[in-house]
């Protein structure tokens, strides 16, 4: 069975684009053809990813991120 991945997905539980069940299955993201493991959020149609910047956090305890533009591919790991 092939899962249909959403256009936009976030690991932040406060985000409206968060899907815990889908994230539990294991989602992989390729950005510009390179596997990324520190993706906090992605949008395939707009072509961007938000990547965590090291282990830095803001005053609310959320990871600091940088938004990068480019081709994005998302897939379910193990398929």
């Amino acid at each position: 069975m092939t899962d249909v991945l959403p256009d936009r997905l976030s690991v932040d539980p406060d985000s409206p684009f968060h899907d815990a069940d889908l994230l539990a299955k294991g989602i992989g993201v390729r950005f510009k053809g390179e596997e990324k493991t520190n993706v906090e959020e992605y949008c395939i149609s707009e072509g961007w990813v938000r990547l965590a910047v090291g282990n830095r956090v803001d005053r609310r305890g959320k990871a600091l991120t940088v938004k990068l533009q480019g081709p994005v591919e998302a897939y379910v790991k193990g398929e």
Side-chain angles (χ1 to χ4, degrees):
M1 183 173 128
T2 304
D3 291 317
V4 176
L5 295 175
D7 177 54
R8 190 167 174 180
L9 186 63
S10 175
V11 297
D12 180 11
D14 295 333
S15 171
F17 302 106
H18 180 77
D19 186 346
D21 296 332
L22 187 58
L23 290 169
K25 293 180 183 179
I27 302 297
V29 177
R30 280 189 207 96
F31 178 67
K32 294 186 178 180
E34 186 178 325
E35 181 74 23
K36 295 293 183 183
T37 58
N38 59 342
V39 176
E40 294 287 319
E41 185 174 5
Y42 72 80
C43 183
I44 296 171
S45 65
E46 295 177 13
W48 57 262
V49 293
R50 284 199 183 275
L51 302 176
V53 180
N55 58 357
R56 305 272 199 127
V57 293
D58 65 6
R59 61 182 168 196
R60 294 179 191 96
K62 298 191 186 263
L64 290 180
T65 61
V66 61
K67 184 177 179 180
L68 300 175
Q69 301 282 333
V72 178
E73 296 176 54
Y75 60 93
V76 177
K77 291 183 179 177
E79 284 190 6

